[in-house]
Amino acid sequence: MNRQYRGIQQKIRGTATSDGAGVRLTRVIGSQAMPMLDPFLMLDEFGSEKPGDYIGGFPSHPHRGFETVTYMLDGRMRHKDNHGNEGLLTPGSVQWMSAGRGIVHSEMPEQEQGLMRGFQLWVNLPAKEKMSEPKYQEFNAGQIPQVTLPDGAKIKVIAGQVGDVIGPVVQPATNPLYLDVLLAAGQSFEHGLPSEQNAFVYVYEGELALVVNDEKLLVKTRELVSLTKGDAVRFEAHAETRFIFVAGNPLNEPVARYGPFVMNTQAEIHQAIQDFQAGKF
Ligand code: CO
């Protein structure tokens, strides 16, 4: 059977913004150009060598109703929450946090200088799990399997599966794929994907093409593309290229969001604000 290759549905560039205590970042998903890509609510890229761009960090703030996924490429970030959890994110580590019914946490740079770089992705939870107990899945660089395919692609499997290598993150609600891919110039990588999943690619170094039959669709550095439907994706690098490739099952539920609260209805948002103010997180 012929594979149906996915092409580009929408191509966007991120918007420079700041969040937390003045952390400069690029908001990609969750911007005006792409408010969400069900089940993904937000993608921020942070990256700077200037301490002034990140040192303020993200002091104490709440979350309810979804998951925050932090993937550190460089630098160190300490997180602490109001349930007594604390940990240090080191280069190459991933924290997949289900906020569920609510946590209040801080995410603060541990380092005072040097390069701080990574991503934060917000993944929605279905209505029936929005008020579940908060939980963490946290893995350091050594716990994230890396595959080198026969034609040279190097892939860190954070969530999902490449060949018989399975990423450590488990989330049946959205069945996510989260890959960090490195291709040398001229190398290609092909991956099958369930046709019902929404997917995006964000190139953070280099430049690649999505190959759809005879067509090559270019994606440059700092561009994000959401993908059309299909059951496979084929990438070809034009230079040494690094990108994240993320997919998940859409929830197809109404979304009511207000800052760090993402629920299904406005009434649930009001409840979240009240509960937070009453110290019930
Ligand atoms: Co947070």
Side-chain angles (χ1 to χ4, degrees):
M1 209 179 81
N2 283 339
R3 283 186 142 179
Q4 190 191 347
Y5 290 98
R6 291 176 181 237
I8 294 175
Q9 182 172 60
Q10 190 184 352
K11 182 192 284 186
I12 61 169
R13 295 187 80 84
T15 311
T17 183
S18 74
D19 209 337
V23 178
R24 291 167 64 113
L25 48 81
T26 303
R27 181 142 302 156
V28 197
I29 298 174
S31 61
Q32 225 166 9
M34 190 182 289
M36 66 177 285
L37 178 69
D38 190 9
F40 307 110
L41 301 158
M42 197 187 84
L43 176 70
D44 283 345
E45 179 186 25
F46 50 95
S48 178
E49 291 180 351
K50 290 183 260 172
D53 289 348
Y54 60 75
I55 204 74
F58 302 89
S60 186
H61 61 277
H63 294 285
R64 172 181 279 186
F66 63 101
E67 305 185 300
T68 67
V69 179
T70 307
Y71 177 35
M72 295 296 289
L73 295 172
D74 296 288
R76 290 178 297 144
M77 189 99 85
R78 181 165 295 276
H79 69 91
K80 260 186 219 179
D81 76 14
N82 63 329
H83 297 262
N85 301 299
E86 179 173 350
L88 182 65
L89 299 177
T90 51
S93 67
V94 171
Q95 180 196 66
W96 199 291
M97 182 192 78
S98 294
R101 57 178 308 282
I103 61 130
V104 181
H105 74 164
S106 60
E107 300 159 284
M108 302 298 290
E110 182 98 324
Q111 63 188 53
E112 289 173 4
Q113 45 191 306
L115 182 59
M116 173 77 86
R117 184 162 76 140
F119 299 99
Q120 190 169 87
L121 176 70
W122 287 11
V123 187
N124 208 355
L125 284 169
K128 63 178 192 317
E129 290 177 30
K130 284 187 179 292
M131 295 298 279
S132 58
E133 283 303 305
K135 79 168 196 197
Y136 290 86
Q137 300 182 71
E138 203 164 298
F139 306 97
N140 62 38
Q143 295 170 307
I144 296 170
Q146 178 165 321
V147 194
T148 303
L149 295 179
D151 48 4
K154 284 189 169 59
I155 302 162
K156 291 177 184 168
V157 187
I158 295 165
Q161 188 166 356
V162 175
D164 45 17
V165 175
I166 299 173
V169 172
V170 178
Q171 178 41 284
T174 45
N175 191 27
L177 173 80
Y178 194 140
L179 306 179
D180 180 5
V181 184
L182 167 63
L183 298 177
Q187 282 178 347
S188 56
F189 167 50
E190 182 166 328
H191 190 76
L193 207 58
S195 55
E196 71 275 12
Q197 290 205 325
N198 285 332
F200 71 84
V201 176
Y202 183 73
V203 176
Y204 64 93
E205 285 177 19
E207 178 174 304
L208 57 75
L210 292 181
V211 184
V212 184
N213 307 320
D214 297 333
E215 245 187 313
K216 292 188 181 185
L217 311 169
L218 198 64
V219 189
K220 295 182 180 167
T221 312
R222 301 238 134 69
E223 287 180 339
L224 178 139
V225 291
S226 59
L227 305 184
T228 55
K229 291 298 177 191
D231 56 16
V233 191
R234 188 170 177 79
F235 303 99
E236 192 179 282
H238 289 176
E240 179 166 295
T241 299
R242 298 181 73 185
F243 62 99
I244 54 171
F245 175 30
V246 179
N249 295 347
L251 297 173
N252 297 310
E253 290 181 0
V255 173
R257 61 197 288 180
Y258 178 72
F261 309 124
V262 183
M263 303 300 290
N264 298 103
T265 67
Q266 277 306 319
E268 290 166 346
I269 291 292
H270 290 307
Q271 189 64 51
I273 295 166
Q274 270 180 23
D275 287 353
F276 171 55
Q277 287 170 346
K280 291 183 181 168
F281 277 29

